[in-house]
Amino acid sequence: ADAITAANTNAPVGGCTTGSGTDTLNLTADIVLAAALPNITTPVTIEGNGHTISRSSATNFRILTVSSSNLTLNSATISGGAGGVTGGGVFAFLSTVTITNSVIVGNSAREGGGIRSDTSTLTITNSTISGNTAFDSTGRSGGGILATGSPVTILNSTISGNSVGGATAGQGTGGGIYQISNSLVVTNSTISGNSAGN
């Protein structure tokens, strides 16, 4: 949290230094969150180095939120986020999000269980979006990814085992991906084992 705040404010916070331009956060261990991270409002690169950011608390909160900025996620796992309304693992608004060599797994939200991209640009490369759940069984859902007004590009990736809660016949839409009002380009990728009513 301090590292994101330092990046947003361009000022040292809690021993975390900051610099100009895009700030890079290098993970050296797994991180288990007891509370929500601050919204990312400045360009940030998270170098996961194979580590996981997950949620421990019984309180529902998503893992990463980016607003009117850029987020690059490399070699990280985002797990256990519970977004409540939208975007359990990652929520982007008016932003550019690039996910590479990463895993978005086991997150949940009413819409966009793994990722919600709203009026943003989303690019996923060499990554896995799996085991995420949306629980809005009545409308637009997107167990793995919900994109609204956002171009989405998926390359060399896997979208699997995502679902809309219950997958009741005729209810819930887009077990793997639900795209609204923009382009979806999927190349050399696997979409398998996702479920929804529609």
Side-chain angles (χ1 to χ4, degrees):
D2 286 347
I4 292 175
T5 301
N8 287 340
T9 60
N10 286 322
V13 176
C16 295
T17 59
T18 185
S20 60
T22 300
D23 291 276
T24 300
L25 283 55
N26 281 290
L27 302 187
T28 58
D30 293 346
I31 296 174
V32 180
L33 301 171
L37 292 171
N39 291 359
I40 296 169
T41 58
T42 190
V44 165
T45 295
I46 297 176
E47 294 290 352
N49 299 306
H51 294 294
T52 297
I53 305 175
S54 62
R55 177 184 64 92
S56 69
S57 172
T59 304
N60 288 344
F61 57 85
R62 77 173 59 92
I63 304 297
L64 294 172
T65 303
V66 55
S67 179
S68 301
S69 192
N70 299 333
L71 170 64
T72 299
L73 183 69
N74 291 325
S75 300
T77 295
I78 304 299
S79 179
V85 175
T86 188
V90 180
F91 174 56
F93 177 68
L94 293 174
S95 298
T96 298
V97 174
T98 304
I99 297 172
T100 306
N101 297 322
S102 294
V103 179
I104 311 297
V105 61
N107 303 282
S108 65
R110 180 177 177 183
E111 302 175 335
I115 301 170
R116 167 74 188 277
S117 180
D118 185 353
T119 324
S120 298
T121 299
L122 175 63
T123 303
I124 299 170
T125 305
N126 296 327
S127 296
T128 298
I129 314 298
S130 68
N132 302 286
T133 303
F135 50 85
D136 181 1
S137 61
T138 60
R140 61 190 191 186
S141 305
I145 300 168
L146 171 63
T148 53
S150 302
V152 177
T153 302
I154 299 171
L155 176 65
N156 297 332
S157 295
T158 298
I159 314 295
S160 68
N162 303 286
S163 65
V164 176
T168 302
Q171 293 184 335
T173 304
I177 305 170
Y178 191 127
Q179 167 65 293
I180 303 170
S181 302
N182 217 297
S183 62
L184 172 63
V185 178
V186 181
T187 306
N188 295 332
S189 297
T190 297
I191 301 176
S192 175
N194 304 285
S195 61
N198 293 316

